[in-house]
Amino acid sequence: MRLCIAEPLAARPAVLDEIRRLDPSLTWSVWSGDRWTDEGGATLGPQMLVAWKLPDGWTALPDRTAAVFCFGAGHDQLTDDPRLPRDLPVMRLIDPGQTQQICDYVLAAVFERLLGPIGLSAGKGGGRHWPEAMIPRMARRDLRVTVLGLGATGSVVAGQVAALGFSVRGWSRRMRVVPGCEVLAGETTLFDAAADADVLVNLLPGADELGGVLSAPIFGRLANGSHLVHLGRGLHLVEADLRSALDAGRPAFAWLDVFAREPLPPEHWFWRDPRIHVTPHTAGLPTAEDAARSIVAAAHALRDGTPLPGRIR
Ligand SMILES: NC(=O)c1ccc[n+]([C@@H]2O[C@H](COP(=O)([O-])OP(=O)(O)OC[C@H]3O[C@@H](n4cnc5c(N)ncnc54)[C@H](OP(=O)(O)O)[C@@H]3O)[C@@H](O)[C@H]2O)c1
């Protein structure tokens, strides 16, 4: 079994070293933009392509590709590509470390909404302000968090936020059970899931039918002063609707990690709006150890003819 690695994040030395440590018999080629660089000599056996998406300019997959390993959570950029043969098995990355990073990002946003800015630094004009009356603190159970998408990532996020005592509602296509959460399922319940949410977390996948899902109708259902945490796909967000919604205070603040155009152009208004916190698609990054373990497990299953872990088709 040989790996054909066409994703720079998967070809980092830390990942390759870990793959080598886990299985010294695995060999690979790395795509460097215009050619393959081989390690370990050629092989006549089956190959597993490791990619986030197929590189521009490819008209066919490498010879003897027996399966594709999607190096990331969302997979539509790969599975919707007409160059990918329909009958080829596709597996996805299983990376608990990355999922935990997403949880941490969401928790930062949830606590920010719960507590508000804690103190003001002198640089932000504070330092001398001592309010007459203290604003009462909200209890965790009174803060309503809605998580859209209860898949591999969203279900863990919803479970961790609920375990900390917040009121969590989740939404998915089919009914799911997530301990401590109320779950709504199916298209007709989407807006109900967002109703009165203080924090709306988007962890939906890049399906065409979900394009523009974060727009005026859903924003209008949120609680006043709510926060949006957008981690799904750029195509979900209607940017003009977000601007109007921020003006109306529903949501009043947005954490944005994914964008219709990445990198986000320097002139984009998101960078300058104080009601927006931009992160450059870094909420959850693949971790070297978990990524290598997931790739090796996929390659072994393919070699041994056992069930493919993380198979998505
Ligand atoms: N920003 C980051 O750093 C980062 C990191 C990781 C993931 N993500 C993003 O997070 C999103 C979720 O990832 P995931 O791994 O949790 O995905 P997943 O396992 O595929 O889960 C998708 C969830 O969305 C639901 N869903 C609702 N409508 C759907 C539709 N029309 N088609 C397909 N699913 C639909 C699914 O419902 P069912 O449960 O009924 O199938 C499922 O609960 C993706 O967009 C991914 O790119 C971002």
PDB file of all heavy atoms in Angstrom, residues 73-75 92 98 102 149-154 171-174 176 203-207 209-210 231-233 236 257-258 281-284, ligand 1:
ATOM      1  N   ALA A  73     -12.628  17.657   7.643  1.00  0.00           N
ATOM      2  CA  ALA A  73     -13.962  17.263   8.087  1.00  0.00           C
ATOM      3  C   ALA A  73     -14.960  17.375   6.934  1.00  0.00           C
ATOM      4  O   ALA A  73     -15.586  16.397   6.543  1.00  0.00           O
ATOM      5  CB  ALA A  73     -14.384  18.126   9.265  1.00  0.00           C
ATOM      6  N   GLY A  74     -15.106  18.587   6.372  1.00  0.00           N
ATOM      7  CA  GLY A  74     -16.032  18.754   5.256  1.00  0.00           C
ATOM      8  C   GLY A  74     -15.489  18.045   4.025  1.00  0.00           C
ATOM      9  O   GLY A  74     -14.282  18.040   3.796  1.00  0.00           O
ATOM     10  N   HIS A  75     -16.343  17.427   3.246  1.00  0.00           N
ATOM     11  CA  HIS A  75     -15.830  16.622   2.125  1.00  0.00           C
ATOM     12  C   HIS A  75     -16.478  16.934   0.784  1.00  0.00           C
ATOM     13  O   HIS A  75     -16.116  16.357  -0.235  1.00  0.00           O
ATOM     14  CB  HIS A  75     -15.991  15.131   2.437  1.00  0.00           C
ATOM     15  CG  HIS A  75     -17.378  14.764   2.842  1.00  0.00           C
ATOM     16  ND1 HIS A  75     -18.400  14.641   1.943  1.00  0.00           N
ATOM     17  CD2 HIS A  75     -17.914  14.511   4.060  1.00  0.00           C
ATOM     18  CE1 HIS A  75     -19.514  14.333   2.599  1.00  0.00           C
ATOM     19  NE2 HIS A  75     -19.246  14.257   3.894  1.00  0.00           N
ATOM     20  N   ARG A  92     -12.955   9.830   5.495  1.00  0.00           N
ATOM     21  CA  ARG A  92     -12.638  11.164   6.013  1.00  0.00           C
ATOM     22  C   ARG A  92     -11.705  11.064   7.212  1.00  0.00           C
ATOM     23  O   ARG A  92     -11.639  10.021   7.880  1.00  0.00           O
ATOM     24  CB  ARG A  92     -13.904  11.912   6.406  1.00  0.00           C
ATOM     25  CG  ARG A  92     -14.709  11.219   7.460  1.00  0.00           C
ATOM     26  CD  ARG A  92     -15.824  12.078   7.942  1.00  0.00           C
ATOM     27  NE  ARG A  92     -15.330  13.075   8.874  1.00  0.00           N
ATOM     28  CZ  ARG A  92     -16.095  14.001   9.442  1.00  0.00           C
ATOM     29  NH1 ARG A  92     -17.366  14.084   9.149  1.00  0.00           N
ATOM     30  NH2 ARG A  92     -15.594  14.857  10.305  1.00  0.00           N
ATOM     31  N   GLN A  98      -8.498  17.795  16.571  1.00  0.00           N
ATOM     32  CA  GLN A  98      -9.083  18.914  15.826  1.00  0.00           C
ATOM     33  C   GLN A  98     -10.484  19.231  16.356  1.00  0.00           C
ATOM     34  O   GLN A  98     -10.857  20.385  16.533  1.00  0.00           O
ATOM     35  CB  GLN A  98      -9.150  18.564  14.335  1.00  0.00           C
ATOM     36  CG  GLN A  98      -9.715  19.688  13.489  1.00  0.00           C
ATOM     37  CD  GLN A  98      -9.947  19.277  12.040  1.00  0.00           C
ATOM     38  OE1 GLN A  98     -10.284  18.135  11.749  1.00  0.00           O
ATOM     39  NE2 GLN A  98      -9.757  20.202  11.135  1.00  0.00           N
ATOM     40  N   ILE A 102     -12.108  22.787  17.979  1.00  0.00           N
ATOM     41  CA  ILE A 102     -13.375  23.438  17.621  1.00  0.00           C
ATOM     42  C   ILE A 102     -14.210  23.666  18.877  1.00  0.00           C
ATOM     43  O   ILE A 102     -14.796  24.733  19.070  1.00  0.00           O
ATOM     44  CB  ILE A 102     -14.171  22.558  16.621  1.00  0.00           C
ATOM     45  CG1 ILE A 102     -13.406  22.405  15.310  1.00  0.00           C
ATOM     46  CG2 ILE A 102     -15.561  23.112  16.381  1.00  0.00           C
ATOM     47  CD1 ILE A 102     -13.540  23.547  14.367  1.00  0.00           C
ATOM     48  N   GLY A 149     -26.153  21.376  13.016  1.00  0.00           N
ATOM     49  CA  GLY A 149     -25.272  20.304  12.546  1.00  0.00           C
ATOM     50  C   GLY A 149     -24.783  19.495  13.728  1.00  0.00           C
ATOM     51  O   GLY A 149     -24.043  20.003  14.580  1.00  0.00           O
ATOM     52  N   LEU A 150     -25.243  18.251  13.801  1.00  0.00           N
ATOM     53  CA  LEU A 150     -24.848  17.375  14.919  1.00  0.00           C
ATOM     54  C   LEU A 150     -24.093  16.177  14.377  1.00  0.00           C
ATOM     55  O   LEU A 150     -24.355  15.033  14.742  1.00  0.00           O
ATOM     56  CB  LEU A 150     -26.083  16.926  15.701  1.00  0.00           C
ATOM     57  CG  LEU A 150     -26.838  18.037  16.423  1.00  0.00           C
ATOM     58  CD1 LEU A 150     -28.107  17.504  17.055  1.00  0.00           C
ATOM     59  CD2 LEU A 150     -25.955  18.699  17.481  1.00  0.00           C
ATOM     60  N   GLY A 151     -23.158  16.438  13.471  1.00  0.00           N
ATOM     61  CA  GLY A 151     -22.350  15.362  12.912  1.00  0.00           C
ATOM     62  C   GLY A 151     -21.151  15.076  13.800  1.00  0.00           C
ATOM     63  O   GLY A 151     -21.194  15.266  15.017  1.00  0.00           O
ATOM     64  N   ALA A 152     -20.062  14.645  13.152  1.00  0.00           N
ATOM     65  CA  ALA A 152     -18.871  14.258  13.900  1.00  0.00           C
ATOM     66  C   ALA A 152     -18.384  15.396  14.795  1.00  0.00           C
ATOM     67  O   ALA A 152     -17.923  15.161  15.919  1.00  0.00           O
ATOM     68  CB  ALA A 152     -17.772  13.849  12.922  1.00  0.00           C
ATOM     69  N   THR A 153     -18.496  16.629  14.318  1.00  0.00           N
ATOM     70  CA  THR A 153     -18.002  17.771  15.097  1.00  0.00           C
ATOM     71  C   THR A 153     -19.109  18.355  15.977  1.00  0.00           C
ATOM     72  O   THR A 153     -18.927  18.527  17.194  1.00  0.00           O
ATOM     73  CB  THR A 153     -17.458  18.864  14.148  1.00  0.00           C
ATOM     74  OG1 THR A 153     -16.624  18.254  13.157  1.00  0.00           O
ATOM     75  CG2 THR A 153     -16.637  19.875  14.906  1.00  0.00           C
ATOM     76  N   GLY A 154     -20.252  18.665  15.361  1.00  0.00           N
ATOM     77  CA  GLY A 154     -21.319  19.344  16.097  1.00  0.00           C
ATOM     78  C   GLY A 154     -21.824  18.560  17.294  1.00  0.00           C
ATOM     79  O   GLY A 154     -22.153  19.152  18.327  1.00  0.00           O
ATOM     80  N   TRP A 171     -29.535  20.862  16.049  1.00  0.00           N
ATOM     81  CA  TRP A 171     -30.367  20.593  14.860  1.00  0.00           C
ATOM     82  C   TRP A 171     -29.584  19.760  13.854  1.00  0.00           C
ATOM     83  O   TRP A 171     -28.405  20.020  13.586  1.00  0.00           O
ATOM     84  CB  TRP A 171     -30.803  21.901  14.196  1.00  0.00           C
ATOM     85  CG  TRP A 171     -31.679  21.655  13.005  1.00  0.00           C
ATOM     86  CD1 TRP A 171     -33.015  21.402  13.032  1.00  0.00           C
ATOM     87  CD2 TRP A 171     -31.281  21.595  11.630  1.00  0.00           C
ATOM     88  NE1 TRP A 171     -33.474  21.189  11.747  1.00  0.00           N
ATOM     89  CE2 TRP A 171     -32.427  21.313  10.864  1.00  0.00           C
ATOM     90  CE3 TRP A 171     -30.063  21.755  10.975  1.00  0.00           C
ATOM     91  CZ2 TRP A 171     -32.412  21.175   9.485  1.00  0.00           C
ATOM     92  CZ3 TRP A 171     -30.042  21.626   9.583  1.00  0.00           C
ATOM     93  CH2 TRP A 171     -31.205  21.344   8.855  1.00  0.00           C
ATOM     94  N   SER A 172     -30.259  18.734  13.323  1.00  0.00           N
ATOM     95  CA  SER A 172     -29.637  17.913  12.278  1.00  0.00           C
ATOM     96  C   SER A 172     -30.720  17.468  11.296  1.00  0.00           C
ATOM     97  O   SER A 172     -31.904  17.706  11.520  1.00  0.00           O
ATOM     98  CB  SER A 172     -28.937  16.692  12.884  1.00  0.00           C
ATOM     99  OG  SER A 172     -29.874  15.909  13.571  1.00  0.00           O
ATOM    100  N   ARG A 173     -30.291  16.820  10.236  1.00  0.00           N
ATOM    101  CA  ARG A 173     -31.257  16.333   9.243  1.00  0.00           C
ATOM    102  C   ARG A 173     -32.130  15.249   9.842  1.00  0.00           C
ATOM    103  O   ARG A 173     -33.344  15.294   9.819  1.00  0.00           O
ATOM    104  CB  ARG A 173     -30.488  15.716   8.071  1.00  0.00           C
ATOM    105  CG  ARG A 173     -30.639  16.380   6.784  1.00  0.00           C
ATOM    106  CD  ARG A 173     -29.835  15.712   5.732  1.00  0.00           C
ATOM    107  NE  ARG A 173     -28.676  14.970   6.202  1.00  0.00           N
ATOM    108  CZ  ARG A 173     -27.811  14.357   5.425  1.00  0.00           C
ATOM    109  NH1 ARG A 173     -27.995  14.379   4.135  1.00  0.00           N
ATOM    110  NH2 ARG A 173     -26.771  13.710   5.917  1.00  0.00           N
ATOM    111  N   ARG A 174     -31.451  14.238  10.391  1.00  0.00           N
ATOM    112  CA  ARG A 174     -32.181  13.127  11.014  1.00  0.00           C
ATOM    113  C   ARG A 174     -32.072  13.260  12.525  1.00  0.00           C
ATOM    114  O   ARG A 174     -31.165  13.938  13.027  1.00  0.00           O
ATOM    115  CB  ARG A 174     -31.569  11.794  10.584  1.00  0.00           C
ATOM    116  CG  ARG A 174     -31.830  11.471   9.124  1.00  0.00           C
ATOM    117  CD  ARG A 174     -30.834  10.471   8.602  1.00  0.00           C
ATOM    118  NE  ARG A 174     -29.502  11.043   8.548  1.00  0.00           N
ATOM    119  CZ  ARG A 174     -28.389  10.340   8.360  1.00  0.00           C
ATOM    120  NH1 ARG A 174     -28.439   9.046   8.253  1.00  0.00           N
ATOM    121  NH2 ARG A 174     -27.218  10.934   8.300  1.00  0.00           N
ATOM    122  N   ARG A 176     -31.101  12.764  16.168  1.00  0.00           N
ATOM    123  CA  ARG A 176     -29.877  12.317  16.845  1.00  0.00           C
ATOM    124  C   ARG A 176     -30.098  12.395  18.341  1.00  0.00           C
ATOM    125  O   ARG A 176     -30.926  13.177  18.810  1.00  0.00           O
ATOM    126  CB  ARG A 176     -28.698  13.243  16.524  1.00  0.00           C
ATOM    127  CG  ARG A 176     -28.410  13.387  15.069  1.00  0.00           C
ATOM    128  CD  ARG A 176     -27.301  12.473  14.670  1.00  0.00           C
ATOM    129  NE  ARG A 176     -27.302  12.250  13.233  1.00  0.00           N
ATOM    130  CZ  ARG A 176     -26.636  11.267  12.654  1.00  0.00           C
ATOM    131  NH1 ARG A 176     -25.940  10.429  13.374  1.00  0.00           N
ATOM    132  NH2 ARG A 176     -26.666  11.103  11.354  1.00  0.00           N
ATOM    133  N   LEU A 203     -22.283  24.472  12.427  1.00  0.00           N
ATOM    134  CA  LEU A 203     -21.374  23.379  12.046  1.00  0.00           C
ATOM    135  C   LEU A 203     -22.053  22.492  11.010  1.00  0.00           C
ATOM    136  O   LEU A 203     -22.033  21.264  11.088  1.00  0.00           O
ATOM    137  CB  LEU A 203     -20.953  22.580  13.281  1.00  0.00           C
ATOM    138  CG  LEU A 203     -19.827  23.263  14.092  1.00  0.00           C
ATOM    139  CD1 LEU A 203     -19.707  22.661  15.479  1.00  0.00           C
ATOM    140  CD2 LEU A 203     -18.491  23.178  13.356  1.00  0.00           C
ATOM    141  N   LEU A 204     -22.665  23.152  10.030  1.00  0.00           N
ATOM    142  CA  LEU A 204     -23.323  22.431   8.935  1.00  0.00           C
ATOM    143  C   LEU A 204     -22.315  22.157   7.826  1.00  0.00           C
ATOM    144  O   LEU A 204     -21.333  22.882   7.675  1.00  0.00           O
ATOM    145  CB  LEU A 204     -24.494  23.260   8.399  1.00  0.00           C
ATOM    146  CG  LEU A 204     -25.695  23.360   9.336  1.00  0.00           C
ATOM    147  CD1 LEU A 204     -26.658  24.430   8.855  1.00  0.00           C
ATOM    148  CD2 LEU A 204     -26.391  22.005   9.458  1.00  0.00           C
ATOM    149  N   PRO A 205     -22.577  21.145   7.028  1.00  0.00           N
ATOM    150  CA  PRO A 205     -21.664  20.843   5.917  1.00  0.00           C
ATOM    151  C   PRO A 205     -21.994  21.674   4.678  1.00  0.00           C
ATOM    152  O   PRO A 205     -23.002  22.388   4.645  1.00  0.00           O
ATOM    153  CB  PRO A 205     -21.928  19.358   5.670  1.00  0.00           C
ATOM    154  CG  PRO A 205     -23.370  19.177   6.045  1.00  0.00           C
ATOM    155  CD  PRO A 205     -23.673  20.168   7.129  1.00  0.00           C
ATOM    156  N   GLY A 206     -21.162  21.516   3.660  1.00  0.00           N
ATOM    157  CA  GLY A 206     -21.286  22.353   2.463  1.00  0.00           C
ATOM    158  C   GLY A 206     -22.269  21.839   1.429  1.00  0.00           C
ATOM    159  O   GLY A 206     -21.980  21.922   0.245  1.00  0.00           O
ATOM    160  N   ALA A 207     -23.407  21.330   1.837  1.00  0.00           N
ATOM    161  CA  ALA A 207     -24.403  20.852   0.868  1.00  0.00           C
ATOM    162  C   ALA A 207     -25.045  22.044   0.156  1.00  0.00           C
ATOM    163  O   ALA A 207     -25.296  23.080   0.775  1.00  0.00           O
ATOM    164  CB  ALA A 207     -25.473  20.036   1.592  1.00  0.00           C
ATOM    165  N   GLU A 209     -27.999  22.655  -0.789  1.00  0.00           N
ATOM    166  CA  GLU A 209     -29.281  23.127  -0.260  1.00  0.00           C
ATOM    167  C   GLU A 209     -29.125  23.969   1.010  1.00  0.00           C
ATOM    168  O   GLU A 209     -30.076  24.582   1.485  1.00  0.00           O
ATOM    169  CB  GLU A 209     -30.242  21.955  -0.010  1.00  0.00           C
ATOM    170  CG  GLU A 209     -29.776  20.915   0.978  1.00  0.00           C
ATOM    171  CD  GLU A 209     -28.948  19.791   0.336  1.00  0.00           C
ATOM    172  OE1 GLU A 209     -28.307  20.037  -0.707  1.00  0.00           O
ATOM    173  OE2 GLU A 209     -28.942  18.679   0.901  1.00  0.00           O
ATOM    174  N   LEU A 210     -27.905  23.977   1.578  1.00  0.00           N
ATOM    175  CA  LEU A 210     -27.674  24.779   2.788  1.00  0.00           C
ATOM    176  C   LEU A 210     -27.039  26.130   2.460  1.00  0.00           C
ATOM    177  O   LEU A 210     -26.745  26.919   3.352  1.00  0.00           O
ATOM    178  CB  LEU A 210     -26.783  24.009   3.770  1.00  0.00           C
ATOM    179  CG  LEU A 210     -27.415  22.731   4.351  1.00  0.00           C
ATOM    180  CD1 LEU A 210     -26.388  21.923   5.120  1.00  0.00           C
ATOM    181  CD2 LEU A 210     -28.599  23.081   5.252  1.00  0.00           C
ATOM    182  N   LEU A 231     -18.674  28.384  11.736  1.00  0.00           N
ATOM    183  CA  LEU A 231     -17.523  27.500  11.524  1.00  0.00           C
ATOM    184  C   LEU A 231     -17.738  26.537  10.370  1.00  0.00           C
ATOM    185  O   LEU A 231     -16.897  25.676  10.119  1.00  0.00           O
ATOM    186  CB  LEU A 231     -17.288  26.671  12.801  1.00  0.00           C
ATOM    187  CG  LEU A 231     -17.014  27.467  14.074  1.00  0.00           C
ATOM    188  CD1 LEU A 231     -17.176  26.585  15.294  1.00  0.00           C
ATOM    189  CD2 LEU A 231     -15.632  28.062  14.035  1.00  0.00           C
ATOM    190  N   GLY A 232     -18.913  26.632   9.713  1.00  0.00           N
ATOM    191  CA  GLY A 232     -19.238  25.625   8.681  1.00  0.00           C
ATOM    192  C   GLY A 232     -18.558  25.910   7.369  1.00  0.00           C
ATOM    193  O   GLY A 232     -17.379  25.598   7.169  1.00  0.00           O
ATOM    194  N   ARG A 233     -19.285  26.524   6.448  1.00  0.00           N
ATOM    195  CA  ARG A 233     -18.766  26.826   5.118  1.00  0.00           C
ATOM    196  C   ARG A 233     -19.117  28.255   4.754  1.00  0.00           C
ATOM    197  O   ARG A 233     -20.210  28.736   5.101  1.00  0.00           O
ATOM    198  CB  ARG A 233     -19.374  25.867   4.092  1.00  0.00           C
ATOM    199  CG  ARG A 233     -18.870  24.444   4.196  1.00  0.00           C
ATOM    200  CD  ARG A 233     -17.349  24.471   4.168  1.00  0.00           C
ATOM    201  NE  ARG A 233     -16.817  23.136   4.261  1.00  0.00           N
ATOM    202  CZ  ARG A 233     -16.442  22.425   3.199  1.00  0.00           C
ATOM    203  NH1 ARG A 233     -16.559  22.924   1.998  1.00  0.00           N
ATOM    204  NH2 ARG A 233     -15.953  21.228   3.375  1.00  0.00           N
ATOM    205  N   HIS A 236     -22.560  29.333   3.415  1.00  0.00           N
ATOM    206  CA  HIS A 236     -23.746  29.377   4.275  1.00  0.00           C
ATOM    207  C   HIS A 236     -24.202  30.808   4.575  1.00  0.00           C
ATOM    208  O   HIS A 236     -25.367  31.043   4.862  1.00  0.00           O
ATOM    209  CB  HIS A 236     -23.450  28.718   5.636  1.00  0.00           C
ATOM    210  CG  HIS A 236     -23.227  27.243   5.563  1.00  0.00           C
ATOM    211  ND1 HIS A 236     -22.417  26.563   6.439  1.00  0.00           N
ATOM    212  CD2 HIS A 236     -23.718  26.303   4.717  1.00  0.00           C
ATOM    213  CE1 HIS A 236     -22.403  25.276   6.142  1.00  0.00           C
ATOM    214  NE2 HIS A 236     -23.192  25.096   5.087  1.00  0.00           N
ATOM    215  N   ASP A 257     -15.095  32.170  10.996  1.00  0.00           N
ATOM    216  CA  ASP A 257     -13.862  31.410  10.727  1.00  0.00           C
ATOM    217  C   ASP A 257     -13.776  30.937   9.280  1.00  0.00           C
ATOM    218  O   ASP A 257     -12.713  30.538   8.822  1.00  0.00           O
ATOM    219  CB  ASP A 257     -13.796  30.197  11.668  1.00  0.00           C
ATOM    220  CG  ASP A 257     -12.457  29.478  11.576  1.00  0.00           C
ATOM    221  OD1 ASP A 257     -11.415  30.138  11.778  1.00  0.00           O
ATOM    222  OD2 ASP A 257     -12.439  28.260  11.284  1.00  0.00           O
ATOM    223  N   VAL A 258     -14.922  30.944   8.581  1.00  0.00           N
ATOM    224  CA  VAL A 258     -14.946  30.450   7.193  1.00  0.00           C
ATOM    225  C   VAL A 258     -15.608  31.495   6.314  1.00  0.00           C
ATOM    226  O   VAL A 258     -16.522  32.206   6.742  1.00  0.00           O
ATOM    227  CB  VAL A 258     -15.694  29.104   7.089  1.00  0.00           C
ATOM    228  CG1 VAL A 258     -14.900  27.996   7.744  1.00  0.00           C
ATOM    229  CG2 VAL A 258     -17.080  29.190   7.716  1.00  0.00           C
ATOM    230  N   HIS A 281      -9.854  30.646   9.187  1.00  0.00           N
ATOM    231  CA  HIS A 281     -10.138  29.214   9.010  1.00  0.00           C
ATOM    232  C   HIS A 281      -9.162  28.359   9.836  1.00  0.00           C
ATOM    233  O   HIS A 281      -8.561  27.404   9.323  1.00  0.00           O
ATOM    234  CB  HIS A 281     -10.101  28.804   7.528  1.00  0.00           C
ATOM    235  CG  HIS A 281     -10.960  27.604   7.248  1.00  0.00           C
ATOM    236  ND1 HIS A 281     -11.607  27.402   6.066  1.00  0.00           N
ATOM    237  CD2 HIS A 281     -11.278  26.531   8.026  1.00  0.00           C
ATOM    238  CE1 HIS A 281     -12.288  26.264   6.112  1.00  0.00           C
ATOM    239  NE2 HIS A 281     -12.101  25.717   7.303  1.00  0.00           N
ATOM    240  N   THR A 282      -9.007  28.765  11.084  1.00  0.00           N
ATOM    241  CA  THR A 282      -8.049  28.087  11.959  1.00  0.00           C
ATOM    242  C   THR A 282      -8.712  27.595  13.246  1.00  0.00           C
ATOM    243  O   THR A 282      -8.016  27.235  14.196  1.00  0.00           O
ATOM    244  CB  THR A 282      -6.897  29.037  12.351  1.00  0.00           C
ATOM    245  OG1 THR A 282      -7.472  30.284  12.794  1.00  0.00           O
ATOM    246  CG2 THR A 282      -5.971  29.299  11.184  1.00  0.00           C
ATOM    247  N   ALA A 283     -10.054  27.591  13.282  1.00  0.00           N
ATOM    248  CA  ALA A 283     -10.725  27.174  14.525  1.00  0.00           C
ATOM    249  C   ALA A 283     -10.316  25.753  14.911  1.00  0.00           C
ATOM    250  O   ALA A 283     -10.135  25.431  16.079  1.00  0.00           O
ATOM    251  CB  ALA A 283     -12.231  27.267  14.359  1.00  0.00           C
ATOM    252  N   GLY A 284     -10.166  24.891  13.925  1.00  0.00           N
ATOM    253  CA  GLY A 284      -9.736  23.518  14.198  1.00  0.00           C
ATOM    254  C   GLY A 284      -8.767  23.077  13.122  1.00  0.00           C
ATOM    255  O   GLY A 284      -9.131  23.011  11.954  1.00  0.00           O
TER     256      GLY A 284
HETATM  257  N1  LIG B   1     -13.679  25.871  10.733  1.00  0.00           N
HETATM  258  C1  LIG B   1     -13.010  24.777  10.999  1.00  0.00           C
HETATM  259  O1  LIG B   1     -11.839  24.808  11.384  1.00  0.00           O
HETATM  260  C2  LIG B   1     -13.717  23.464  10.848  1.00  0.00           C
HETATM  261  C3  LIG B   1     -13.165  22.275  11.386  1.00  0.00           C
HETATM  262  C4  LIG B   1     -13.907  21.090  11.296  1.00  0.00           C
HETATM  263  C5  LIG B   1     -15.137  21.092  10.635  1.00  0.00           C
HETATM  264  N2  LIG B   1     -15.583  22.263  10.082  1.00  0.00           N
HETATM  265  C6  LIG B   1     -16.846  22.289   9.339  1.00  0.00           C
HETATM  266  O2  LIG B   1     -17.888  21.871  10.177  1.00  0.00           O
HETATM  267  C7  LIG B   1     -18.917  21.327   9.376  1.00  0.00           C
HETATM  268  C8  LIG B   1     -19.398  20.018   9.993  1.00  0.00           C
HETATM  269  O3  LIG B   1     -18.374  19.048   9.971  1.00  0.00           O
HETATM  270  P1  LIG B   1     -18.688  17.560  10.467  1.00  0.00           P
HETATM  271  O4  LIG B   1     -17.440  16.819  10.343  1.00  0.00           O
HETATM  272  O5  LIG B   1     -19.364  17.595  11.800  1.00  0.00           O
HETATM  273  O6  LIG B   1     -19.779  17.119   9.369  1.00  0.00           O
HETATM  274  P2  LIG B   1     -20.728  15.837   9.359  1.00  0.00           P
HETATM  275  O7  LIG B   1     -20.192  14.797  10.272  1.00  0.00           O
HETATM  276  O8  LIG B   1     -20.920  15.504   7.934  1.00  0.00           O
HETATM  277  O9  LIG B   1     -22.100  16.355   9.993  1.00  0.00           O
HETATM  278  C9  LIG B   1     -22.984  17.202   9.285  1.00  0.00           C
HETATM  279  C10 LIG B   1     -24.235  17.482  10.112  1.00  0.00           C
HETATM  280  O10 LIG B   1     -25.080  18.379   9.379  1.00  0.00           O
HETATM  281  C11 LIG B   1     -26.372  17.777   9.241  1.00  0.00           C
HETATM  282  N3  LIG B   1     -27.033  18.188   7.984  1.00  0.00           N
HETATM  283  C12 LIG B   1     -28.093  18.986   7.898  1.00  0.00           C
HETATM  284  N4  LIG B   1     -28.477  19.178   6.648  1.00  0.00           N
HETATM  285  C13 LIG B   1     -27.647  18.465   5.896  1.00  0.00           C
HETATM  286  C14 LIG B   1     -27.548  18.260   4.497  1.00  0.00           C
HETATM  287  N5  LIG B   1     -28.378  18.846   3.655  1.00  0.00           N
HETATM  288  N6  LIG B   1     -26.565  17.461   4.041  1.00  0.00           N
HETATM  289  C15 LIG B   1     -25.704  16.873   4.886  1.00  0.00           C
HETATM  290  N7  LIG B   1     -25.763  17.029   6.243  1.00  0.00           N
HETATM  291  C16 LIG B   1     -26.725  17.816   6.729  1.00  0.00           C
HETATM  292  C17 LIG B   1     -26.124  16.301   9.309  1.00  0.00           C
HETATM  293  O11 LIG B   1     -27.344  15.704   9.656  1.00  0.00           O
HETATM  294  P3  LIG B   1     -27.429  14.116   9.960  1.00  0.00           P
HETATM  295  O12 LIG B   1     -26.784  13.986  11.314  1.00  0.00           O
HETATM  296  O13 LIG B   1     -28.860  13.832  10.006  1.00  0.00           O
HETATM  297  O14 LIG B   1     -26.664  13.454   8.851  1.00  0.00           O
HETATM  298  C18 LIG B   1     -25.065  16.251  10.410  1.00  0.00           C
HETATM  299  O15 LIG B   1     -25.675  16.377  11.682  1.00  0.00           O
HETATM  300  C19 LIG B   1     -18.360  21.173   7.958  1.00  0.00           C
HETATM  301  O16 LIG B   1     -18.825  22.240   7.160  1.00  0.00           O
HETATM  302  C20 LIG B   1     -16.876  21.317   8.164  1.00  0.00           C
HETATM  303  O17 LIG B   1     -16.225  21.833   7.030  1.00  0.00           O
HETATM  304  C21 LIG B   1     -14.912  23.419  10.184  1.00  0.00           C
END
